[in-house]
Each structure stands twice: as C-alpha cells, then as structure tokens.
Amino acid sequence: MRVPSRSPGQQPGSPVSPTAPARRRPSGRAPRRLSSAAPDLAAYRAAVAELLVEVGALADVASTRARQVLIDERLREPALAAVLDATPQGLIGARETLLLEMARYQPNERTSARDLTALVRIYLLSRIDVFWWQDAPTFVTDEQVNGSADLVDLEWLRRRDLLRFRYQEQPATALGRAVRGVRRRLRPDATPRTAGLLFRRARREVVALLNDIGREFAAAAPPATPPLWVTSLVRSTEHQYRLRRLGYAAMLPSGHCLGYSVDVELAWFERFGARDALAELLLARQETGEINVIDEGQAWHLCLAPTARRRLRRAYEAEMGV
C-alpha cells in the first residue's frame, strides 16, 4: 500500500506544474489492467449499505477483531471489489487504508464521521470520486490552488450576480474571527455553522453544477428559503492534511483535491422546511449518474461525474457569456 507523503510540497529535482499529478507510477512498473466493463455503481452503493448494517452491529471496542474480519471478507465481494480494484490503490490498498482509518478513529465535535459506521460509509462512497477522477491532476499545495488557471474566482462572479448559491470565507485574521463569533452569538441561526471556504475558487464545471442545483432548489423549496449554501469546494492536499490533524474526516485521495467535489449544507435548511426537498433533488441527480452523493450529516458531499463535465462546461460558458 502506498501511503501519501506528509510533505506535499515540491520534491527536490521534480518541478511542479500548477496542477501537478500527485500520483507517480514506479519506473518499470506496468499500469494495472482494468476490466473494460464499468463497475456497477448502484450495486456498489447497495453493497456498502449492507456492510454498514453489519459494521454497526460490531460497534463496541471489543469487536475490533471481528470488524477487521468483516471488512476483509466483504470488500472481496464482487460488487465492492469491482470499484475498489479500479482505483489507483487497488483493492488491497483500499482495504488497508480503511482498516488504518478505523484503527485511528477518535470521535470529536469536528468530524462528520460521528461513529465508525459513518467513517466506513464516507470512506467507501468517496472511492467512487477517486475511481471517476483517478487520472485528474491533484492540487497539492495552497499555492497551486490559488494560482491555477483551471479555477475561477467566486467573488468576481458573486459581485456580478452570476452565482445561484451562497458561501462564506474563513476569516483571515483574529479580528475577523472575533467578529464572526459575535455575529453567531447574536444571530446563531442566521447562517450555517461552518468554518467557511479557505479557497473561494472552483472549476467552471462545478460552478455550472451548483448554479443548476441552486435554481432547482429555489423552485422546489418553500417560499422565503435561503439559496443553496456551499460549505467546501476545492482543497489542496496540504490543507487536507491540516483538516486531518484537526480531527476532520478528510479522506485521501479526495475529490476535493482534484477540484470536482463540493460540500453543501443540509441540516440548516431543516428550519425552513427545505431539507428534504434538497436531499431529494441531489439523490435524483445521483440516479441519473451526474453526481456522487455522500450523506455526511450536517453537509452532503457531492462529486461531479466525468460524463457530465462537457455539458456543464458548455453551460458555464453560455451562462457567463464566454
């Protein structure tokens, strides 16, 4: 199993492009042959759901060994193995990584993985993102995210009223954090409880997807419901490791570090009677094959499917007049 480097910066003698691929094949090693038939993602999701029931039944500490045996056996079943073996890590690497994540798991207030069952769900369903975009370049450092020509500045678009969703940035200073804290105390439910975006940048296709979802949500939600709220977009691998150190369930590899995954707020819309409407339209888009959806509690993780990329890029260009 290959373990991602904890030093995501440039390696000596190896130039880094603005979106340098994080993966490198060892020299002399032939690429792994994959089946010509695409894995059945509906069967994979169903198999994950069945596995989660069994993991939940072995939630106590004394069941550690039983959980390991369960994971080892179930991941080899065809529906699960077909997807995991098609990822860069392969089946064995995915199995070892999942077991390591489970061994290291510590519940805390920050993580979206509220228990081991949620951790397994998030990890396994996020492998669909990795399978889809395994050949896409990874944003390794913060500098690469901020300097990439493949990403657009959301603030520029927002000021021109070209976004059908909202977001907030992370405060950059101690004063900004203090002001944010005061606002939350005075109006605790005015906005979702989220740290905000570190990078206010996104791929053009993702902007088009969120605008499309935002319009559909506005039409389906009850009157006076606020617009779709985005809590996370593109991240660097460097930032992903920061989140892991803080206790978040930030998986690696991640669709966020490729620029094709986003997180949208769900729980906050319960107070407007709109949560179910948003959940239903997201799952309907998953059924069409346009996105991958992961229920992470307060927010849901979405990943754009490669098959929808061209259509959404054209939609962006038409909407923005470029």
Side-chain angles (χ1 to χ4, degrees):
M1 178 189 70
R2 286 180 293 172
V3 179
S5 169
R6 290 189 177 271
S7 300
Q10 182 174 356
Q11 299 299 312
S14 175
V16 176
S17 65
T19 54
R23 295 184 292 111
R24 297 287 187 271
R25 281 198 186 96
S27 59
R29 183 177 179 180
R32 195 158 37 88
R33 291 180 179 270
L34 301 180
S35 170
S36 58
D40 185 338
L41 297 184
Y44 178 80
R45 293 186 180 106
V48 170
E50 292 176 2
L51 172 60
L52 295 178
V53 174
E54 296 179 277
V55 171
L58 299 172
D60 59 289
V61 177
S63 300
T64 300
R65 177 57 183 165
R67 286 195 301 267
Q68 291 176 346
V69 172
L70 173 67
I71 294 295
D72 188 53
E73 291 179 350
R74 293 292 183 267
L75 295 193
R76 298 177 189 275
E77 293 179 353
L80 293 171
V83 171
L84 297 178
D85 200 43
T87 63
Q89 280 188 309
L91 171 60
I92 301 302
R95 168 192 172 276
E96 294 299 318
T97 299
L98 176 56
L99 290 176
L100 185 60
E101 292 284 354
M102 294 173 70
R104 291 177 173 175
Y105 173 73
Q106 293 290 335
N108 63 78
E109 294 182 355
R110 288 173 169 162
T111 183
S112 55
R114 294 303 181 187
D115 52 32
L116 275 175
T117 302
L119 178 75
V120 174
R121 180 180 67 250
I122 292 169
Y123 177 80
L124 289 178
L125 293 181
S126 69
R127 297 312 88 187
I128 295 176
D129 304 3
V130 176
F131 159 66
W132 275 346
W133 295 105
Q134 58 187 286
D135 294 324
T138 300
F139 294 102
V140 180
T141 66
D142 294 353
E143 183 180 1
Q144 289 174 7
V145 174
N146 288 321
S148 175
D150 293 328
L151 305 175
V152 293
D153 185 356
L154 294 183
E155 191 63 14
W156 189 91
L157 297 174
R158 186 191 67 80
R159 290 175 180 175
R160 288 156 180 81
D161 195 30
L162 294 173
L163 299 181
R164 306 279 75 84
F165 59 91
R166 290 181 183 173
Y167 63 90
Q168 65 181 5
E169 295 182 67
Q170 289 187 21
T173 65
L175 176 60
R177 290 189 290 272
V179 171
R180 174 77 59 82
V182 170
R183 287 176 178 171
R184 282 183 175 172
R185 286 194 293 273
L186 294 176
R187 301 181 64 197
D189 298 319
T191 60
R193 286 190 167 272
T194 173
L197 305 181
L198 178 63
F199 306 105
R200 65 182 193 199
R201 297 171 63 76
R203 290 191 182 272
R204 292 162 178 82
E205 301 89 340
V206 170
V207 172
L209 171 68
L210 291 171
N211 273 349
D212 205 11
I213 293 173
R215 281 187 288 267
E216 188 176 353
F217 178 51
T225 300
L228 181 73
W229 193 286
V230 176
T231 64
S232 182
L233 283 160
V234 63
R235 303 174 192 159
S236 65
T237 305
E238 184 178 5
H239 185 53
Q240 198 79 341
Y241 277 120
R242 290 192 206 107
L243 294 176
R244 289 177 66 84
R245 288 193 292 270
L246 290 171
Y248 290 95
M251 300 300 174
L252 286 163
S254 169
H256 283 289
C257 302
L258 306 173
Y260 291 107
S261 291
V262 305
D263 295 341
V264 297
E265 177 71 25
L266 261 287
W268 183 63
F269 287 106
E270 186 71 49
R271 65 193 302 266
F272 304 99
R275 182 193 181 281
D276 290 346
L278 180 54
E280 287 174 7
L281 73 86
L282 294 178
L283 292 174
R285 284 177 178 263
Q286 177 172 267
E287 286 294 317
T288 67
E290 184 178 72
I291 59 175
N292 182 41
V293 176
I294 306 175
D295 178 352
E296 296 188 354
Q298 177 184 341
W300 280 22
H301 171 100
L302 317 178
C303 183
L304 172 66
T307 53
R309 181 183 181 185
R310 179 175 296 182
R311 179 186 68 80
L312 289 168
R313 180 59 177 261
R314 290 173 177 171
Y316 175 88
E317 292 171 352
E319 189 172 355
M320 305 301 168
V322 296

